[in-house]
Amino acid sequence: GMAQEGSQGGLFPDGDPFEVPEGLGPGEKRKRPEEDGASGEGNAFLDLCGRCGCVVVVEDDEGKDAQCTLSRDARDFVGALELELATAPRLRRDFVRDLETYAETDEGLRLLLRPVEQGDSLAHNLLNVYCLQSTVSALLLERVPTLDASDDAQKSTALSIVNQFRWLDVSSEDSALLDKFLEVIGIVDPALQDAMIAFLPEVTTTDDQADRVGAYLLDRLEEDSAFCASVIETTPSLCISGDVRDRVCLKVLDHLRAVEASEVGKVARFVLENASAATAAEVVGSLREGLSLVDARDPRRRIPDRTGKGKGKKSERTPEQDLVSAVRSALRCKPEAIGHYLNFLKKLGAGRGRGRAAGSAEGTPSCCTLDVWVLVVLLSFGGDRAAQARQAFQRKVCAGQLSHGVVARSIKGHCDCLEEFFPSLLSLAAHLLRCNAVEASRAGVGLYCVLFECFPEARHRQDCLGELVAHLGGGCPQETSNALGCLARIAREMLDALRPFASYLAALLDHVDAFEGAQARELFWVIGEVLEPDQGEPSGSGSQGSRRGSRLEDEVHITIRKQMSSDSPRYFRTGVVGSLALLARRERGIESCHNPSRRTKEVCVSLGRIFRECSRNPENLGFFFEEVAEILARGGLCHRRVLECLNELAAVDFEQTFIGEFESGRLAAEDARGGEPWFNLDGENAEVALRIFPLAVSGDKEEQLQLAKLPAQISLLQVLENKQSGNLEAINALLGCPLHLFPEQALDECAAEARQDLAKVLVHAVNWCREILRVFTEGVDLTSAEAVRRERETLRKVVRRAGNTYVLEACLAILRQRAADRRGRFQPKSPGGAGTQTSVATAATTASTAGGDASSIADLGSELDKAAKTFNTPEPRPFKQSHFALLFLALPGPRAEVGDGDSLLACLVYLLRHLRRECVVKGGAFATAEDVVGFRPTEGGAETLPLALGALQDLFLERLGQEPPTEATQATQDSTVMGAATRLAEDHFNAPALGLELISDVVCNTILKCDGPEVLRRFAEGFLGGGEGAAGPVQGFLDAMAARYDIGTTFDQKNKSAEVLVTAYKKLEGWSAGREGEGEGEGENESAARDLGVDLEELKRQAVRRVGELLTGPDPSSLSKRKPGLPARAKVVDSLVGNYALLCEQPLDKLEEIASSFERYARHALDKAPKPGDSPFPLLDRQTIPSFYSCLFRWLCSLFRAELAASVEDRSRLDGVHRCACVFTKLVLLPKRAEKGSVLLKPIVQGAHGFLESLSAFDRQGLHQHEAVTQILKELQKGVKHLQFICSDCKTQKSTFSASKVPALKRSVERFNWKCLLWQHNKDGTKVQMGSLKHRDARGNAILSQLELSEFDFNRSAIGVEEDVEEDSQKSLLIDQSLPLSFEI
């Protein structure tokens, strides 16, 4: 069967060389001519291979080596061989014996390993024979240790043997092959071990074998870290168990620091891809720790060219590039790794000392270079991954864990590996720059600067500037300011790198019209810096000509000329900003130019020209003064002759415009014009007066506008005097000089049309006083008794001038009330009878001292804003932080030096009024808690504003303890506006009491703005003046607030002290809850308070005790000497009830108790006037019943949701839900039981919707199947039925608010009715009726809840109802459902 015709037939085409020839005996053999020792006669291996289709081609005439060929397909050959050997055990034995003999020689082994023409080698085909696999594999593997790896030929043979085990079609499930493999690996040359380890997955067939291989790899890693690369390549191909894979992953991490730099990326990819949820935190933490050397100082940054393939070329790949590529591949291939890493970053800093996953041992753990790279890689993915990365980056920046230094180190020195991610980094910088958070926007500015510096290629820097230009043209003021700050920073730090791109800045001139003053100033400063240095070369020089010919400079000059020629004040002022910016740049080159005197003259002439241009409009001239003062403060225009020129321009104009003669206590005759001097602090020494009234009533419109420049001009004079002489002696007379204003009686006698003129005069006077306060206190160390002693007389005038400002603002507020009174907006009843109109001055004084609505006068800031709108006057000049430096006069030393306690008290209360407003209003002088904590009166001072607040509190408490209470009726005798305003400013009783309230408001607002425990600690430490005590500064501060509560004599004092305690508890509890959500371990929920030395539970007990006393305990007669109006009382009620609901231990019990007491009192009070002692709560009267009711309803809704959530886990908590249902019914039925209960409808329609929506938890959590739910529904049916009547009743009332809430409430009621019908219709003996709404809605469709289920066909329609109408009704109902559609079906 083997013989075939032709030269290519048979196993040997020229005949069998082992055939016994004639002449030889039967037992004799002829040796093969090609080799010795190979027997051909009866060779089972060769015979069977030939029969199955294997052909060996011997060396022919062309010199080709002998090789095997297959005359049939390899699979057919293997199948035929398998069939022959499986049925003949003896043949198989002979086949194996002859195969071993054949493979003993090197040539026979090479012939077995050499690939055949059609594909795999003969050895690989034999390994695919199932019955031969173990034998052939042992035969081949035993030859590997005998080969010398140092010899290239033998090493190649050994690798060929190992390669035979790749991609076997069949594998034996027994472990013989694996055993042999592992046995041989241990004894072969180390150079071959890595190759054999890589083939372990090829010989592993079962999970047990895979785990065994994993254990073997662990052992090898224990012995030598050199096997790390092999393990990394082998493990992903093994189906090992999760536990073994985790152990291998962690063991590889242990060798991270020992691997070659070129292998770091492979290790990172391996551990990220193989990390499980159980080991993710440890893997990420160890990876971050092990890669801490990857920065610009890493000595392994360049990979040595060990192979010499570079041929002298510099290697282009770095370990960082490999690492970034590996991280990107791992995150892209395994999305779970993204979640693991982001979760680790989220928890970073939440817990400390938790093994390898913990961050730094001290302080807050910070992010590292690897974190930044991972976030950048995620940004490159786009979509949701990029959004997650941006959020994580912003969150870490705002938390202080990702500083600018970390980001800069992550990019600097690594530009080669991050260059492909430049667009992602640029998009991140743009996102951060647009954020509202200050920390995030600063990080965006820093990132732009780093990108501009680290990527020097022109295309990269063009992209950076292009993004900044886009920000500047976005139209958002905050974004524009941030982008300008970034551009200015680049100009300061990298000016030479920015100058080649000057043409990009020319595009910004198109947006300059939309910039504010400070923004335009910043832009022109940047442009001035970018222009080539102005060294004063002669006009004929080439450099000068090229500089003047630059495009940017030409564009700037064109823009400035265009703006300066505009009639619009906005455009004109932009031109002024640009002109002064370029002029300041030219002034800087005076000393370095070849002709300084000529340059100085040119600058002075240009200043005079700009001054004359601005003089055409006094408002523009005021802007010019402000701009010059700002440039002087920044160090520009400071040359001596330039200062003299500016001083001459400003001083001469000021004297000619605003200074009038004042002799012997009288105004000059030509300036009198019916006015009189106000607030003469210099007495007989006064020689001049400030002409405000003459200019305001002048018939010349230009003279009237002169007052607009007054504050800016005195500010410029202050700066000039400090620059020239270092003191303010030249303008000291302006501090105490009288103000030429209108007669005082004009406030009461003027006609309605004249009030606007008086209001404008008062506003200008207020602006002057505010600015003069800042001018004469700026730069004075008000915390030093010695410095205050030197400036004693000046500061006394400042204090009295502050009192004058208080009076002026009070007059303006009372004048506004008078205007509102005459228009019918405010008509207080006269004590003399209903037909008598009360004097506005008396009403204002009464409102501020004895009763009425005191809040309108107490908040002077908002009152002045209202006055500006009422009289169409400019808004008063805003307060700056420097204004509040006078508060430091409350310190014991400075206070004793100044003396004049009454004036000082009024000054401090006046400043506190505005300080409270500046801490609340968005964009105020104290926008953040850090502004309050860090404000100092001088740059080098150590005392901060909290110290002044603490000293003020001590001063007010001391004054209240020394002075007997002043009766409020003593302040109602003045009938004039001026008298009432003066009495308001000097009221001895209200000053300390009101001051304590104002301090409490400032403290509460500051605590609420604290963004971290450290800020609160520094505030408390400053407030106590360093006397923190053993418990820490925060606990000492809270103890001081508690003590102030105990010594308080009025409700207002106690309420404000308790409010501070509650605010502190809320803030600490919020921080602790955040740590509990992110941290791990028991007790984490109190870590924030514990770090500050505060016992949170004790603070809660103190706060709830005091709030409970205020809610139920104090005598109504001690509520206040200044009885607040209804809005103020409603606010106090809402605050107390809300705080009590938050703090009480058993909220449901307390709610039931308070609701029962409230119901009894409200039913009685709404039917007839109650007696003063009938109310169970001192703040509860007939007017505050709706506010109290609304608070109870909100309390009930929050408790109801909490009880429902608890019932999901514990069904026994359904009892609490039932109790909430009882309270709900009681509150809803109250309007029905009270005669005048319609006043309670607004809180019901506002709160019942949320209450009913909360009941959807019954269905989502399967609670409706519980037996207790039936009783709850029966209790609710009473209230729900009445809700339907309330919905109908609200339609008839003239209340747009109530009517707007009715549709949502009706939908909630209908939805709840329909659910109850479905829940209960299958329960035997249970019937719950939830009301009887109309059977059709507003569209005429039937309402499902009113149909009997026995008459309703869910597949078709209800009986007697048209099919299309019913389908529309059912569809409309299901659209409103928050529950799944499957439930209704």
Side-chain angles (χ1 to χ4, degrees):
M2 295 175 57
Q4 297 183 11
E5 296 181 359
S7 61
Q8 300 298 327
L11 185 59
F12 303 101
D14 294 332
D16 188 358
F18 300 102
E19 181 182 358
V20 180
E22 298 178 0
L24 291 179
E28 297 182 7
K29 297 182 180 179
R30 178 182 176 182
K31 291 185 179 181
R32 185 175 179 177
E34 293 84 1
E35 57 183 287
D36 295 333
S39 175
E41 182 183 3
N43 192 315
F45 163 63
L46 297 176
D47 294 344
L48 186 56
C49 287
R51 291 200 304 270
C52 294
C54 179
V55 180
V56 176
V57 180
V58 297
E59 183 176 353
D60 55 12
D61 297 338
E62 297 180 0
K64 292 184 179 180
D65 296 336
Q67 60 180 357
C68 296
T69 60
L70 292 176
S71 60
R72 59 196 306 183
D73 185 75
R75 293 184 179 181
D76 296 339
F77 169 71
V78 172
L81 199 61
E82 177 75 29
L83 182 62
E84 292 285 348
L85 295 176
T87 57
R90 182 175 179 180
L91 178 61
R92 182 168 65 249
R93 183 176 63 252
D94 295 340
F95 183 89
V96 172
R97 183 195 64 227
D98 294 340
L99 175 61
E100 292 175 351
T101 304
Y102 193 81
E104 287 178 356
T105 63
D106 294 340
E107 186 175 352
L109 181 62
R110 285 195 297 270
L111 191 63
L112 290 174
L113 300 177
R114 184 174 301 163
V116 299
E117 294 181 356
Q118 287 81 6
D120 297 327
S121 65
L122 181 58
H124 187 271
N125 289 322
L126 294 178
L127 285 172
N128 283 325
V129 179
Y130 184 80
C131 60
L132 296 177
Q133 189 175 79
S134 59
T135 304
V136 175
S137 61
L139 172 65
L140 296 175
L141 291 175
E142 287 176 355
R143 290 296 304 272
V144 175
T146 63
L147 300 174
D148 185 7
S150 61
D151 185 6
D152 293 340
Q154 297 190 32
K155 182 178 179 180
S156 176
T157 302
L159 294 177
S160 298
I161 293 175
V162 177
N163 283 329
Q164 303 307 313
F165 295 90
R166 185 190 303 273
W167 301 330
L168 295 178
D169 293 337
V170 295
S171 297
S172 175
E173 294 186 359
D174 58 14
S175 59
L177 178 57
L178 179 60
D179 294 341
K180 195 65 177 179
F181 232 89
L182 297 178
E183 177 186 350
V184 173
I185 290 177
I187 59 177
V188 298
D189 191 279
L192 300 175
Q193 289 181 351
D194 291 340
M196 295 192 68
I197 290 177
F199 275 90
L200 285 175
E202 302 288 346
V203 297
T204 303
T205 57
T206 64
D207 294 343
D208 293 338
Q209 293 180 11
D211 291 343
R212 183 181 171 190
V213 172
Y216 173 80
L217 296 177
L218 285 173
D219 295 338
R220 298 312 300 263
L221 283 176
E222 290 284 357
E223 299 174 2
D224 190 358
S225 61
F227 292 99
C228 188
S230 302
V231 173
I232 290 174
E233 295 178 2
T234 304
T235 305
S237 302
L238 292 172
C239 298
I240 57 179
S241 62
D243 179 63
V244 177
R245 189 177 296 273
D246 292 343
R247 291 165 55 196
V248 172
C249 186
L250 296 178
K251 182 58 66 175
V252 170
L253 277 175
D254 291 339
H255 297 282
L256 179 60
R257 293 182 180 274
V259 299
E260 290 287 338
S262 58
E263 303 294 333
V264 171
K266 298 179 181 179
V267 174
R269 177 175 181 176
F270 172 78
V271 296
L272 287 176
E273 289 182 346
N274 291 275
S276 62
T279 61
E282 188 173 2
V283 166
V284 175
S286 300
L287 191 62
R288 296 171 72 251
E289 183 180 358
L291 294 178
S292 59
L293 292 177
V294 181
D295 57 17
R297 299 181 301 276
D298 189 356
R300 307 177 303 177
R301 290 191 68 248
R302 294 294 176 184
I303 301 176
D305 188 10
R306 297 190 181 98
T307 60
K309 295 181 180 179
K311 304 299 183 181
K313 296 182 180 180
K314 185 178 179 181
S315 176
E316 298 296 334
R317 297 292 297 179
T318 64
E320 289 82 357
Q321 288 177 316
D322 294 336
L323 176 60
V324 173
S325 300
V327 169
R328 177 172 56 183
S329 300
L331 298 181
R332 192 183 297 276
C333 295
K334 188 175 181 181
E336 294 84 355
I338 300 176
H340 295 159
Y341 209 103
L342 293 179
N343 287 335
F344 180 88
L345 291 181
K346 183 178 181 181
K347 296 179 181 180
L348 184 64
R352 303 179 184 177
R354 291 197 299 270
R356 310 169 77 162
S360 59
E362 299 178 2
T364 302
S366 60
C367 296
C368 63
T369 300
L370 182 62
D371 299 335
V372 178
W373 290 359
V374 169
L375 294 177
V376 170
V377 168
L378 292 180
L379 284 171
S380 66
F381 290 171
D384 295 339
R385 298 305 185 191
Q388 291 176 350
R390 284 192 293 266
Q391 292 175 2
F393 203 100
Q394 180 180 346
R395 184 166 56 246
K396 289 305 172 184
V397 166
C398 295
Q401 296 178 335
L402 188 55
S403 63
H404 172 69
V406 174
V407 177
R409 287 197 305 271
S410 303
I411 298 176
K412 291 182 179 179
H414 308 292
C415 300
D416 49 358
C417 66
L418 296 177
E419 184 176 3
E420 59 180 312
F421 301 101
F422 180 81
S424 301
L425 289 168
L426 203 60
S427 66
L428 176 62
H431 168 76
L432 294 174
L433 194 72
R434 295 190 185 98
C435 292
N436 294 326
V438 178
E439 297 84 358
S441 60
R442 289 176 182 171
V445 171
L447 184 54
Y448 266 121
C449 296
V450 170
L451 294 178
F452 191 86
E453 177 186 2
C454 297
F455 294 90
E457 294 188 14
R459 58 188 180 90
H460 292 148
R461 290 180 172 175
Q462 288 176 3
D463 291 342
C464 285
L465 294 177
E467 287 292 334
L468 289 176
V469 171
H471 289 304
L472 292 171
C476 177
Q478 181 179 356
E479 182 181 353
T480 301
S481 300
N482 294 335
L484 281 171
C486 178
L487 202 59
R489 182 173 171 182
I490 293 175
R492 283 192 298 268
E493 299 175 359
M494 295 164 280
L495 184 57
D496 293 336
L498 182 61
R499 278 179 176 155
F501 305 94
S503 59
Y504 275 78
L505 302 183
L508 298 179
L509 298 174
D510 298 334
H511 307 290
V512 73
D513 297 340
F515 291 172
E516 299 175 355
Q519 296 172 346
R521 185 185 308 119
E522 195 81 18
L523 173 61
F524 281 111
W525 179 86
V526 171
I527 292 177
E529 292 295 318
V530 171
L531 293 177
E532 292 297 327
D534 186 5
Q535 300 296 339
E537 297 88 345
S539 58
S541 64
S543 60
Q544 180 77 359
S546 62
R547 182 184 63 81
R548 290 183 176 178
S550 66
R551 177 197 168 193
L552 177 60
E553 188 167 6
D554 293 342
E555 292 287 346
V556 171
H557 286 296
I558 292 173
T559 302
I560 290 176
R561 292 193 189 100
K562 179 180 178 181
Q563 301 286 348
M564 292 286 288
S565 62
S566 175
D567 294 332
S568 172
R570 180 181 180 88
Y571 297 155
F572 181 84
R573 293 176 183 180
T574 303
V576 171
V577 172
S579 300
L580 291 176
L582 297 185
L583 199 60
R585 168 179 170 270
R586 190 165 178 78
E587 182 265 344
R588 289 200 305 268
I590 288 179
E591 298 299 334
S592 60
C593 70
H594 70 285
N595 193 348
S597 59
R598 179 182 176 183
R599 175 67 64 85
T600 304
K601 184 177 179 180
E602 291 177 357
V603 172
C604 293
V605 170
S606 299
L607 282 173
R609 183 168 58 252
I610 299 174
F611 175 82
R612 289 189 297 272
E613 289 288 336
C614 295
S615 297
R616 300 175 182 176
N617 186 334
E619 293 181 347
N620 292 339
L621 186 57
F623 180 81
F624 169 79
F625 290 145
E626 289 183 349
E627 192 64 26
V628 171
E630 182 66 27
I631 293 176
L632 288 171
R634 298 176 64 171
L637 300 176
C638 290
H639 192 270
R640 179 181 57 81
R641 290 181 58 185
V642 176
L643 289 175
E644 293 175 356
C645 174
L646 287 171
N647 193 24
E648 182 180 358
L649 292 174
V652 171
D653 180 80
F654 185 83
E655 292 178 4
Q656 293 177 352
T657 307
F658 298 109
I659 299 300
E661 297 182 1
F662 187 78
E663 299 179 357
S664 302
R666 294 185 179 181
L667 299 168
E670 61 273 12
D671 288 337
R673 297 186 184 181
E676 62 182 30
W678 287 34
F679 310 135
N680 182 10
L681 303 183
D682 290 338
E684 298 179 355
N685 297 326
E687 298 180 355
V688 295
L690 194 69
R691 300 173 62 245
I692 296 180
F693 181 68
L695 295 174
V697 298
S698 175
D700 189 352
K701 184 67 174 178
E702 184 175 348
E703 285 194 359
Q704 294 180 15
L705 293 176
Q706 294 293 334
L707 292 171
K709 68 181 182 181
L710 179 58
Q713 197 162 5
I714 187 60
S715 177
L716 176 60
L717 290 175
Q718 174 221 1
V719 177
L720 290 172
E721 290 298 327
N722 283 328
K723 291 284 186 180
Q724 289 182 289
S725 61
N727 57 65
L728 301 179
E729 290 294 333
I731 60 174
N732 192 34
L734 299 176
L735 175 60
C737 72
L739 307 182
H740 185 178
L741 303 179
F742 48 79
E744 293 182 3
Q745 61 271 19
L747 289 169
D748 298 295
E749 298 175 357
C750 67
E753 57 273 9
R755 291 197 191 100
Q756 184 172 359
D757 296 332
L758 298 183
K760 290 182 179 179
V761 173
L762 288 175
V763 169
H764 290 304
V766 167
N767 288 340
W768 164 261
C769 291
R770 288 187 179 184
E771 194 61 32
I772 211 71
L773 292 179
R774 187 196 62 79
V775 166
F776 283 92
T777 56
E778 204 169 52
V780 180
D781 187 4
L782 298 177
T783 63
S784 171
E786 182 179 354
V788 173
R789 186 185 304 112
R790 288 196 305 266
E791 304 290 339
R792 179 185 304 169
E793 296 302 324
T794 300
L795 290 177
R796 284 183 177 178
K797 291 180 182 180
V798 169
V799 169
R800 294 176 61 190
R801 189 62 79 192
N804 301 153
T805 315
Y806 200 163
V807 173
L808 289 171
E809 293 180 5
C811 286
L812 188 59
I814 296 173
L815 191 65
R816 188 202 69 82
Q817 286 191 349
R818 185 169 191 171
D821 176 25
R822 293 300 174 84
R823 287 198 292 263
R825 297 180 183 177
F826 175 69
Q827 295 182 353
K829 294 182 179 179
S830 171
T836 305
Q837 177 66 43
T838 304
S839 169
V840 175
T842 303
T845 308
T846 304
S848 63
T849 57
D853 191 1
S855 60
S856 61
I857 302 296
D859 191 359
L860 281 178
S862 61
E863 187 65 22
L864 295 179
D865 293 341
K866 294 177 183 178
K869 295 180 180 179
T870 301
F871 300 117
N872 193 24
T873 63
E875 293 184 358
R877 197 168 181 85
F879 274 88
K880 299 180 180 179
Q881 290 189 7
S882 55
H883 281 94
F884 301 99
L886 282 172
L887 290 174
F888 288 86
L889 291 177
L891 299 178
R895 184 172 73 234
E897 294 297 336
V898 173
D900 196 7
D902 294 341
S903 299
L904 180 60
L905 194 67
C907 169
L908 297 177
V909 173
Y910 164 71
L911 292 173
L912 280 176
R913 287 176 181 265
H914 288 286
L915 177 62
R916 176 182 62 176
R917 177 176 174 80
E918 294 300 316
C919 291
V920 175
V921 176
K922 184 179 181 180
F926 296 92
T928 65
E930 191 64 37
D931 295 335
V932 178
V933 174
F935 171 67
R936 294 176 173 84
T938 57
E939 292 185 4
E943 293 81 1
T944 57
L945 183 57
L947 178 66
L949 296 177
L952 273 171
Q953 174 178 281
D954 297 338
L955 172 63
F956 290 147
L957 290 174
E958 180 184 355
R959 180 62 68 94
L960 286 176
Q962 293 176 355
E963 293 184 358
T966 302
E967 294 295 334
T969 55
Q970 294 181 6
T972 63
Q973 303 302 323
D974 294 299
S975 58
T976 63
V977 173
M978 186 64 184
T982 304
R983 177 63 64 180
L984 176 63
E986 298 177 352
D987 183 33
H988 290 243
F989 171 78
N990 285 326
L994 179 61
L996 286 176
E997 299 176 25
L998 296 172
I999 289 175
S1000 299
D1001 290 338
V1002 172
V1003 169
C1004 289
N1005 293 328
T1006 305
I1007 293 176
L1008 289 175
K1009 291 181 178 180
C1010 287
D1011 54 1
E1014 177 62 23
V1015 180
L1016 178 60
R1017 186 196 63 78
R1018 289 195 289 117
F1019 174 82
E1021 187 176 19
F1023 191 91
L1024 298 176
E1028 58 184 63
V1034 178
Q1035 186 61 52
F1037 165 72
L1038 296 175
D1039 293 341
M1041 291 291 112
R1044 201 182 87 178
Y1045 173 92
D1046 296 334
I1047 64 177
T1049 58
T1050 66
F1051 178 84
D1052 293 332
Q1053 298 172 18
K1054 290 180 175 292
N1055 181 40
K1056 291 297 182 179
S1057 302
E1059 187 176 354
V1060 173
L1061 296 178
V1062 174
T1063 304
Y1065 171 78
K1066 289 180 180 178
K1067 199 67 177 179
L1068 290 171
E1069 197 273 338
W1071 286 333
S1072 300
R1075 290 193 176 188
E1076 181 183 11
E1078 296 183 0
E1080 298 176 3
E1082 186 177 0
E1084 285 289 339
N1085 58 333
E1086 297 181 358
S1087 58
R1090 186 169 55 251
D1091 293 344
L1092 295 174
V1094 178
D1095 187 349
L1096 201 59
E1097 293 300 324
E1098 179 62 26
L1099 176 60
K1100 181 178 181 180
R1101 285 192 292 270
Q1102 291 186 12
V1104 71
R1105 179 175 66 83
R1106 287 167 171 80
V1107 172
E1109 291 176 358
L1110 293 173
L1111 192 62
T1112 60
D1115 183 5
S1117 62
S1118 68
L1119 287 180
S1120 178
K1121 295 297 182 183
R1122 297 176 293 108
K1123 185 174 178 61
L1126 180 58
R1129 284 186 292 149
K1131 184 178 180 181
V1132 172
V1133 168
D1134 183 75
S1135 174
L1136 285 177
V1137 176
N1139 292 336
Y1140 191 73
L1142 173 69
L1143 299 171
C1144 60
E1145 292 294 337
Q1146 300 292 335
L1148 189 52
D1149 296 340
K1150 297 297 183 182
L1151 175 61
E1152 291 177 330
E1153 179 183 348
I1154 294 176
S1156 299
S1157 301
F1158 172 79
E1159 185 205 16
R1160 290 192 297 268
Y1161 174 76
R1163 291 174 59 184
H1164 173 68
L1166 292 176
D1167 292 341
K1168 57 183 179 179
K1171 297 179 181 180
D1174 292 343
S1175 175
F1177 310 107
L1179 289 175
L1180 181 60
D1181 54 19
R1182 194 168 186 176
Q1183 287 75 28
T1184 58
I1185 284 179
S1187 300
F1188 211 98
Y1189 184 79
S1190 180
C1191 294
L1192 291 180
F1193 223 107
R1194 288 197 298 272
W1195 187 2
L1196 170 64
C1197 290
S1198 62
L1199 275 181
F1200 186 65
R1201 285 191 290 268
E1203 293 294 335
L1204 277 175
S1207 301
V1208 175
E1209 303 295 336
D1210 185 5
R1211 294 296 191 268
S1212 62
R1213 296 292 296 272
L1214 285 173
D1215 179 64
V1217 179
H1218 185 268
R1219 293 167 64 186
C1220 290
C1222 296
V1223 177
F1224 172 78
T1225 301
K1226 184 181 298 183
L1227 293 178
V1228 170
L1229 293 180
L1230 181 57
K1232 177 182 179 182
R1233 297 170 180 172
E1235 182 178 351
K1236 298 180 180 180
S1238 58
V1239 297
L1240 305 178
L1241 297 184
K1242 179 179 177 180
I1244 291 178
V1245 298
Q1246 190 174 10
H1249 170 69
F1251 184 90
L1252 293 178
E1253 289 298 315
S1254 301
L1255 290 171
S1256 59
F1258 278 151
D1259 183 30
R1260 281 195 289 264
Q1261 306 297 339
L1263 294 177
H1264 64 279
Q1265 302 175 0
H1266 200 275
E1267 297 179 357
V1269 174
T1270 302
Q1271 301 300 324
I1272 296 174
L1273 297 179
K1274 287 185 177 181
E1275 182 63 35
L1276 287 174
Q1277 68 179 340
K1278 308 172 186 176
V1280 173
K1281 286 181 180 180
H1282 192 64
L1283 282 178
Q1284 300 166 4
F1285 299 117
I1286 290 176
C1287 292
S1288 301
D1289 191 27
C1290 286
K1291 294 181 179 179
T1292 63
Q1293 295 189 0
K1294 298 179 180 180
S1295 174
T1296 56
F1297 178 86
S1298 300
S1300 64
K1301 299 293 182 181
V1302 167
L1305 180 58
K1306 288 193 68 175
R1307 284 194 298 270
S1308 298
V1309 171
E1310 172 59 23
R1311 188 156 49 241
F1312 179 61
N1313 291 345
W1314 173 239
K1315 293 298 179 186
C1316 291
L1317 190 63
L1318 293 179
W1319 289 339
Q1320 302 298 327
H1321 93 99
N1322 285 329
K1323 294 185 179 180
D1324 298 334
T1326 302
K1327 185 176 183 180
V1328 179
Q1329 296 181 353
M1330 307 304 292
S1332 56
L1333 291 176
K1334 295 180 180 179
H1335 284 269
R1336 293 183 181 272
D1337 56 18
R1339 297 191 297 269
N1341 299 328
I1343 297 177
L1344 300 181
S1345 63
Q1346 304 305 312
L1347 301 175
E1348 294 292 340
L1349 290 182
S1350 59
E1351 302 177 357
F1352 187 80
D1353 183 3
F1354 283 93
N1355 296 321
R1356 294 177 60 84
S1357 62
I1359 300 176
V1361 182
E1362 296 180 4
E1363 183 174 356
D1364 55 347
V1365 174
E1366 181 57 37
E1367 289 178 352
D1368 292 341
S1369 177
Q1370 185 174 3
K1371 181 179 179 181
S1372 64
L1373 179 65
L1374 295 180
I1375 289 176
D1376 292 336
Q1377 296 294 324
S1378 60
L1379 304 180
L1381 178 63
S1382 59
F1383 179 83
E1384 280 76 16
I1385 296 177

